[in-house]
């Protein structure tokens, strides 16, 4: 239903913008839209929709609040895991750098004419 309404609205806008008739076409479409809006069956449906929204707004609000809380909890968990992983990577990098430096200094000490640590 929503798609049909959007299609009709888009067609009306396109017609108005593209019509050579100009303002006359706009006035005609506007008056037809107003008469449709003032139709008692349309207004009855509008009031039913308003009532439905008023009745269900608290339920929808609660569900949105719960979903936001769940999303925040999950985001916090993922951030914590990412932080732990980053710490592990940092520790591994330090260890590898230390091992590489130690290996380089040992290898350099074996080179003739190179005195390391003096």
């Amino acid at each position: 239903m929503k798609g049909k309404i959007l299609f009709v609205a888009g067609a009306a806008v396109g017609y108005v913008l593209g019509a050579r008739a100009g303002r006359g076409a706009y006035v005609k479409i506007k008056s037809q839209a107003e008469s449709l809006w003032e139709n008692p069956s349309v207004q009855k449906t509008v009031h039913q929709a308003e009532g439905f929204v008023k009745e269900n707004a608290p339920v929808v609000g609660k569900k949105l609040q719960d979903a936001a809380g769940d999303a925040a909890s999950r985001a916090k968990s993922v951030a914590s895991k990412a932080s732990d992983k980053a710490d592990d990577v940092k520790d591994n990098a330090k260890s590898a750098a230390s091992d590489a430096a130690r290996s380089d200094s040992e290898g350099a000490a074996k080179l003739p004419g190179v005195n390391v640590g003096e």
Side-chain angles (χ1 to χ4, degrees):
M1 181 69 181
K2 182 179 176 182
K4 290 180 182 178
I5 292 172
L6 289 174
F7 175 77
V8 171
V13 169
Y15 177 75
V16 168
L17 294 176
R20 293 180 186 254
R23 182 143 177 91
Y26 168 75
V27 170
K28 183 178 177 183
I29 291 172
K30 182 179 175 189
S31 66
Q32 289 175 346
E34 286 175 349
S35 67
L36 176 67
W37 181 254
E38 293 169 1
N39 185 319
S41 63
V42 171
Q43 286 301 310
K44 179 182 174 185
T45 305
V46 167
H47 291 307
Q48 288 174 344
E50 287 175 348
F52 178 81
V53 169
K54 286 179 183 176
E55 289 174 13
N56 292 303
V59 174
V60 172
K62 176 68 174 139
K63 287 185 179 185
L64 287 173
Q65 186 178 17
D66 292 345
D70 290 346
S73 176
R74 289 181 185 168
K76 189 174 182 179
S77 174
V78 168
S80 176
K81 288 178 183 177
S83 177
D84 292 344
K85 193 71 163 173
D87 289 342
D88 291 345
V89 169
K90 179 182 77 171
D91 292 342
N92 289 342
K94 280 184 178 180
S95 177
S98 177
D99 291 347
R102 193 175 320 112
S103 175
D104 286 347
S105 67
E106 290 170 0
K110 295 178 183 177
L111 293 174
V114 176
N115 295 324
V116 177
E118 292 183 6

